[in-house]
Every structure is written in C-alpha cells, then in structure tokens.
Amino acid sequence: MSDSKILLCDCRKSQAIEPERIEQTTGLSCSKIHTELCRAEAGIAEEAIRAGNVVIACGQEQTFFEEIAADIDADDPIFVDLRDRAGWTASTNAPTPKMAALIADALLPLPAEKVLDVQSAGTCIILGDAEVALSAAGHLCDALSVTVVLAPDADLPVTDDRRFDIVRGRVKAATGALGQFSLSFEQLQERIPGGRGTFGWTEPRSGGRTECDIILDLRKAVQPLFPAPDKREGYLRTDPGNTEARIKALLEASQLTGTFEKPIYVKLNEQLCAHSRAQKTGCTRCLDLCPTGAISPAGDHVVVDAMTCAGCGSCSAVCPSGAISYDAPPVEHIFQRIRTLSSTWRKLDTGSPHLLVHDGSHGLELIRLSARYGKGLPYDVIPLEIQALAGFGHSEMLSALASGFGSVTLLLSPETERDGLPFQLELANAIARNDQVRSIEPTDPDQLEAYLYEERQVEPVAQPILPIGSRRQVTRLAAKALNDTDEPIVLPKGAPYGAVDLNLSSCTLCLSCVSLCPAGALKENPDKPQLRFQEDACLQCGICVNLCPESALSLEPRLNLADDALTPVVLKEEEPFNCVECGKPFGVRSMVERMTEKLAGKHGMFQDNKAAKLIQMCDDCRVNAVYHSENNPFAMGEKPKVRTTEDYISKRRDH
C-alpha cells in the first residue's frame, strides 16, 4: 500500500488535520484537506476512487463512498475514521500522532477469513402457546415450511389452515444450529386431518425425532433449548408478550433461507491440548468457559463444533498451550496491530498513549456519540476495535503495556462474555505488578468520558518490545520488559505459568509423570535415574498431580523470569542399581533395595535366595536366569510330528 493516497476531509472545518506530519510518518501521499467530500466535493472522491489505491479518512459516510465505487465499477476504497476517534476531541493537544497510528492500523492487510457454507431450506419449528404460535405460523408459512409444536395438553382453536403442520408434544432434547437442528420429543401426537368436527390426535408416543433448519421459540417462562440462546444461530427465542420483539423474530426467521457463510472462529491443534492423559483429567479451562457448549472432551483432547461456536474468544484467552486460538482474525494479527499503533505513535510523540479496546457495536457507538455531543476521546487514547473482547486476554494486555502503552482499558458491552475476563485482568496486573489494566462498563458517553479523562500516573516501559511469537512467548517478553528483576512473580491460583513442587521423600522416580506430561515440562535422563523439570514449558494443567501414584507433586503458580526457567533443572536423582549378574546399571537403587527387602523370603515367588536374586537382575539377565531355571516357564516338550494326509489314510486302513 506504499503507493496509496490518503483522501483527507476536515468535515466542514470541524477538526484540525496536519497532512505533512501524517505523510511523513506513514510514508503515504496525502491529499489537500477537503471540507465536504460526501457532498459538494463528491466528484473529487469519485475521481480518486476511480484511480484506485485510495484511503478515505471518513467512517461516517462509508456507505455513500461504497455506492460511488459500485456505480463506477471500481474497487471499494479503504476507510479509516479519523474524525470520531481522533479529530473531535476536547483535548488541546494535537491528535496527529493518533491519526497517523489509526491510518497505519487501517492499512494492515487483513488475513483471509475462513468460513463454512451453511444450507437452509427453510424448514421451521415453532414452539409456543396455540394463539401466539399459530399466528406466527400464519405469517411465516408462505416463506418457510412450518410445523407448530404445541404443549401435550394444548387445545387446538377452531382453525383449518392446511398451509402448515400442527403437532402436540414436549421437546426432550435439541442439538445443532442453523441448517442442522435435531429435536427429539416425548408424548408426540400428530393431528388426524380426516373426519368432521374437532380434529382428532394420534396416540402419544415417545422417541419421535425430526430435523429442521430454524427454531422459533415463543414459549413463556420455559428454559431455552440451548445455553446462551442469543448466540445460537438459527434459534430465535423471544418474549411472546413483546410485540416488537416478536415481529423482529418473525422477520429474521423469514430471511433464514439459502446458503450462508459461517465464520470459523477458532483453530484447534489437538496435539497441544492438555485436557487429559491416561484418563486423568488435566486442563478444563476452555470447557468451563464456553457459553454455547461448542467445546467437548474427546479423549486426551477437546473438539470444537464450528457450527455451534459463537466466536466469543474466551477459549483462546485461557488456553495455556495455544491448542485453541482465535482465528478470525488470528492472534498474531492482534499483536501486529498493537505493535503498529504503538510504534507509529512514538514517531510523533514521546509520551505514552493509552489503549482503549472496544467492540464494533456498543463501544463504537459510545465513542461516536461522545465525539459528536461530548468531549470525544482524549488525544492520547487510541481505540482498538476487535470482534471478540473476551478473547483479549492477559497476553494481549501485557503486549500492549510492553509495546509502549501506558494503560489498557477494555470497554465492555452488554454482549461481552464476562466469566473469564476478571481473571485475565488479575493475571495481567499481577505480572505487570501494577494496575494499568482495567475494564469499564459505561452505559452512556458521559460515563465513558469520566473514565477516560481522569488523571493517570503513567510510568512507560523503558524499552518497548515487538510482540512477536506465541501468546506464551509474548507474555514472557512483556513480563521481562515490565519488570526490572528476575525474581519469580507470584500468580493467582489457576494461572497457566508456574513450577511443580516435589516431595523428595515420597517420590520413587517411577517417572509416570514424565511419560504423560503434555508439554514435556517433566523430563527424564536416559543415562541415569533422574527427574528434570523445565519451568517455562509447564502449563499448570495438573495432569502430573492427578496421576502421581505417590501424591508427590503439587503446583506452584508463578512466572519465573530468570534464564534458568528455559532449561531443565534436576528435581531428584538417585544412584542406579547395578545388575548382580552383568553389572549393567538399571532402575533406582533405593527402589530395588526396597523391593528386595519387602519380597525376599516373604513372597511365594521369592522364597529362596536364587529366586530373590531375580529382583536384582536387569531385564536380559532375569530372562536368561529364568530360562535356565529348574521350572523354566519357557520350556516346551518335544515338538509334535507334523501329521500328513498319508498318516490319516494309513490310520483308516488299520481299522
């Protein structure tokens, strides 16, 4: 995009723009400052769009400029909102550094979106009381293939509308999402269409099943069919007494036919998952937080149902290994945006900016209202719009602080998943050793301004980092930049970083923990009985604690910034026992001696000294000794003669 041109507009002289400084910082060509590109100077905008490679510094009139591009059959330009997010502000400082940062962010290439095609033929199940459900069916039956499911004891009003089906029953279970719902019923009865007078019903039966594309749930005071019902695509649940909401649901249902693209929000690397090993459960962080139940166990790892996933991002924020990561866009893209915003700002301002993370609906609307009718954002508050606020975890927060931001504020919306965010904030502040990260929940622009214009004591990071790598790697880099000591940082329980404490007297060096550690943090030494531990790799999943037969291990949540956390250290080692026959070292001396003490002369298999000596032999010598023993279990009798056809014939002749 180095040959792009930025089309600037001061929106009827309502904001100050410095094109020379923007051009110097971004390396892009700036137009002269226009004043009404969306009206009187629309011809200039059309000419620039026709030429291509143009960035229009206006977000409010994006639709207008896109219509121009469509009319002249040109590519849509790139848009960046400078006015609401930077230009309209009560701050006396020039907003140019923030404008340059926002432009640089807008020019970053977006990763390709991954999607699934979802087919909906328009088969619709309507649940609810007879009056409301039948009314809804009458409105939808011309657009959808409708079946109304009434309660088992519901009375059917006098109606003979054959444009849709009517059954009675109770929904027992429901699974799926738009285009692939599956329902099972109890006490299912179908209407008998023949005869005169009141309609009859078939005998109630259980086990009935059906599939549909859309579910319209108009039941009163009944539990939803799914967790987080507002996040289940194709499941429309509304209060039947709210006329406006009911009409909105009917309109939405009528549009749910055809082929739709369902974004794939997260990616899963099963090999990195630390959910379970040897049927011992370890990490359940994503399972505990997923609001829609899209994540489920599948042996040693978890699986994600892409159709059910609503893309809240909570799983990505808490996954200790990176097995689950947000992919719409990828986490790496968020790090790149943070790096770009901070580095561009620093080219024009030596102060420390503040990052405001918000969504594209509630948060963006508050920012726009504040800009138009209030103070607007402070000049040093840089907004970062992302899709999944719950996916902005401690790694992203710390990367922003270590990149040069003085603070990070999450502007939560009513739709934000909150269950996992408090811990992410606590973890980030514990690692940064300050309270530079917070969340706010303003309901109006005045509250937003009160939060953002308060006095803040900022101690910027001495040496900003470039947040590159995995979330764990970025966390460690950020922590080292934000702390001037290598002393381990004590973290709250449940943190994905830490050490293991070993009870030396209880540990027998059986090494079962080594073979099942999903991250390879616990290691053995093939040359001697030794248990080693690499702290940087430990996920604190707890599998080792759960499977240790001696209960010798426990977890210690902390972040060790010293270099020794990157290399294995010895937790316990012992002398090997030398085979009494060949002298080859094998096993652990203390264990062999303990077994000899407990078994020799006390167990039926080791009554005499010769048998007890087997305990002190390596595998090869033990097999050899047993083979040559008096009661050799490997010994066999003389190999039987192979019988041929002639043997059978001769035997028959003899008889």
Side-chain angles (χ1 to χ4, degrees):
M1 298 297 294
S2 59
D3 58 342
S4 297
K5 182 177 182 178
I6 305 175
L7 204 58
L8 299 174
C9 179
D10 62 12
C11 198
R12 305 185 67 180
K13 302 186 183 302
S14 62
Q15 60 176 330
I17 303 177
E18 299 177 295
E20 296 82 5
R21 298 183 72 196
I22 291 177
E23 192 171 271
Q24 174 189 353
T25 306
T26 62
L28 303 181
S29 171
C30 290
S31 72
K32 74 170 190 177
I33 299 178
H34 302 283
T35 192
E36 204 174 10
L37 281 174
C38 60
R39 291 295 179 268
E41 298 172 299
I44 297 174
E46 179 178 339
E47 183 179 344
I49 293 173
R50 191 188 304 276
N53 287 338
V54 63
V55 180
I56 298 182
C58 178
Q60 175 180 290
E61 298 299 330
Q62 178 172 337
T63 302
F64 172 77
F65 294 118
E66 287 176 340
E67 289 175 351
I68 291 178
D71 289 341
I72 63 176
D73 197 23
D75 294 334
D76 285 341
I78 296 174
F79 296 94
V80 54
D81 176 14
L82 297 185
R83 186 195 69 183
D84 292 346
R85 298 190 295 167
W88 283 355
T89 177
S91 298
T92 56
N93 299 71
T96 307
K98 178 161 63 168
M99 288 184 174
L102 294 175
I103 292 172
D105 176 48
L107 292 177
L108 291 176
L110 288 174
E113 187 179 46
K114 302 177 181 66
V115 297
L116 289 171
D117 284 341
V118 178
Q119 300 283 342
S120 172
T123 57
C124 178
I125 297 289
I126 300 179
L127 308 172
D129 294 338
E131 182 179 355
V132 174
L134 293 175
S135 173
H139 289 295
L140 290 176
C141 61
D142 291 333
L144 306 174
S145 176
V146 176
T147 298
V148 176
V149 180
L150 304 176
D153 56 352
D155 292 327
L156 189 65
V158 179
T159 180
D160 193 18
D161 195 333
R162 303 301 179 91
R163 295 178 299 166
F164 51 86
D165 295 327
I166 304 175
V167 299
R168 295 197 303 195
R170 182 175 291 108
V171 178
K172 180 181 179 181
T175 59
L178 175 66
Q180 50 179 240
F181 286 110
S182 178
L183 294 89
S184 59
F185 298 91
E186 294 178 330
Q187 298 176 267
L188 183 64
Q189 295 176 280
E190 298 181 69
R191 185 175 58 166
I192 300 174
R196 185 183 181 193
T198 304
F199 285 103
W201 299 91
T202 61
E203 289 297 317
R205 62 185 179 88
S206 296
R209 300 185 61 85
T210 190
E211 295 179 349
C212 65
D213 300 309
I214 309 157
I215 300 177
L216 178 58
D217 191 346
L218 301 175
R219 299 173 300 168
K220 292 188 298 185
V222 178
Q223 280 288 103
L225 296 179
F226 305 99
D230 55 317
K231 299 181 183 298
R232 182 73 56 139
E233 294 184 5
Y235 178 63
L236 309 175
R237 177 175 170 82
T238 188
D239 178 7
N242 187 329
T243 302
E244 183 178 351
R246 192 170 73 249
I247 293 174
K248 181 181 178 182
L250 292 176
L251 179 61
E252 185 175 351
S254 68
Q255 304 299 313
L256 293 179
T257 58
T259 302
F260 301 89
E261 289 186 341
K262 172 73 167 66
I264 301 176
Y265 292 109
V266 299
K267 63 179 179 181
L268 172 67
N269 186 335
E270 297 175 353
Q271 295 180 341
L272 297 179
C273 183
H275 169 60
S276 173
R277 293 294 185 276
Q279 299 183 339
K280 294 292 185 179
T281 301
C283 177
T284 61
R285 292 173 173 90
C286 61
L287 294 167
D288 297 337
L289 285 179
C290 182
T292 64
I295 306 175
S296 57
D300 286 347
H301 55 82
V302 299
V303 292
V304 181
D305 181 0
M307 290 299 300
T308 306
C309 174
C312 72
S314 297
C315 56
S316 176
V318 300
C319 182
S321 65
I324 290 183
S325 59
Y326 204 76
D327 203 34
V331 174
E332 296 80 5
H333 184 67
I334 299 297
F335 288 144
Q336 184 183 20
R337 294 183 65 192
I338 292 171
R339 182 171 69 247
T340 300
L341 290 171
S342 175
S343 60
T344 306
W345 165 279
R346 292 199 305 272
K347 292 178 182 178
L348 292 176
D349 198 303
T350 57
S352 188
H354 304 272
L355 189 65
L356 177 66
V357 187
H358 64 91
D359 64 1
S361 54
H362 176 77
L364 184 60
E365 182 64 14
L366 285 182
I367 291 172
R368 287 174 173 170
L369 290 174
S370 172
R372 178 169 286 276
Y373 300 107
K375 295 181 178 180
L377 297 181
Y379 84 100
D380 58 352
V381 171
I382 300 180
L384 174 65
E385 179 185 329
I386 64 173
Q387 180 169 325
L389 283 176
F392 198 86
H394 67 276
S395 297
E396 289 82 358
M397 300 170 192
L398 291 168
S399 74
L401 295 178
S403 295
F405 285 98
S407 67
V408 177
T409 301
L410 270 67
L411 199 173
L412 306 185
S413 75
E415 291 77 31
T416 303
E417 289 297 327
R418 287 167 167 74
D419 289 347
L421 272 177
F423 184 78
Q424 295 299 308
L425 293 167
E426 180 185 5
L427 186 56
N429 282 322
I431 294 175
R433 299 183 193 255
N434 54 39
D435 293 322
Q436 291 174 266
V437 183
R438 64 175 176 173
S439 64
I440 59 175
E441 301 181 49
T443 57
D444 58 54
D446 291 337
Q447 290 183 0
L448 175 63
E449 293 165 9
Y451 284 124
L452 299 182
Y453 276 89
E454 64 186 19
E455 290 292 329
R456 288 159 295 185
Q457 296 295 325
V458 177
E459 189 67 33
V461 65
Q463 186 63 43
I465 68 163
L466 296 178
I468 298 175
S470 67
R471 298 182 77 250
R472 291 182 69 87
Q473 292 169 335
V474 168
T475 297
R476 183 173 181 83
L477 286 172
K480 289 183 74 68
L482 294 167
N483 292 273
D484 56 3
T485 175
D486 284 345
E487 288 296 318
I489 303 171
V490 178
L491 299 181
K493 182 180 179 181
Y497 313 97
V500 293
D501 291 329
L502 179 67
N503 187 326
L504 294 176
S505 61
S506 299
C507 177
T508 62
L509 283 179
C510 68
L511 300 182
S512 58
C513 55
V514 171
S515 61
L516 296 175
C517 177
L522 290 164
K523 306 172 183 293
E524 65 176 334
N525 186 335
D527 298 323
K528 62 174 66 176
Q530 194 178 76
L531 176 61
R532 300 185 298 165
F533 175 68
Q534 182 175 329
E535 184 168 344
D536 178 62
C538 181
L539 307 176
Q540 298 283 287
C541 64
I543 290 177
C544 60
V545 175
N546 294 335
L547 60 81
C548 179
E550 309 298 338
S551 299
L553 290 166
S554 59
L555 301 178
E556 181 188 354
R558 69 180 193 178
L559 184 60
N560 186 357
L561 300 180
D563 291 341
D564 60 10
L566 304 176
T567 56
V569 296
V570 177
L571 295 183
K572 182 176 182 179
E573 66 177 328
E574 290 192 26
E575 288 296 320
F577 187 88
N578 295 322
C579 175
V580 294
E581 285 292 320
C582 68
K584 182 176 73 175
F586 79 98
V588 181
R589 175 174 293 277
S590 63
M591 176 60 67
V592 174
E593 290 176 348
R594 191 181 310 171
M595 291 174 61
T596 303
E597 179 184 351
K598 289 188 175 183
L599 296 177
K602 302 174 184 178
H603 190 279
M605 292 181 62
F606 305 100
Q607 288 297 322
D608 57 62
N609 292 335
K610 196 172 183 180
K613 193 176 178 182
L614 294 173
I615 302 173
Q616 301 174 335
M617 295 181 187
C618 66
D619 294 344
D620 294 337
C621 293
R622 189 180 305 118
V623 171
N624 185 58
V626 171
Y627 183 81
H628 291 94
S629 65
E630 182 179 349
N631 298 316
N632 178 11
F634 304 107
M636 300 178 63
E638 184 180 347
K639 185 176 181 180
K641 181 183 177 181
V642 177
R643 297 179 64 85
T644 65
T645 303
E646 182 60 30
D647 293 328
Y648 286 101
I649 294 174
S650 62
K651 187 176 181 180
R652 192 177 303 164
R653 287 180 188 148
D654 293 341
H655 286 79

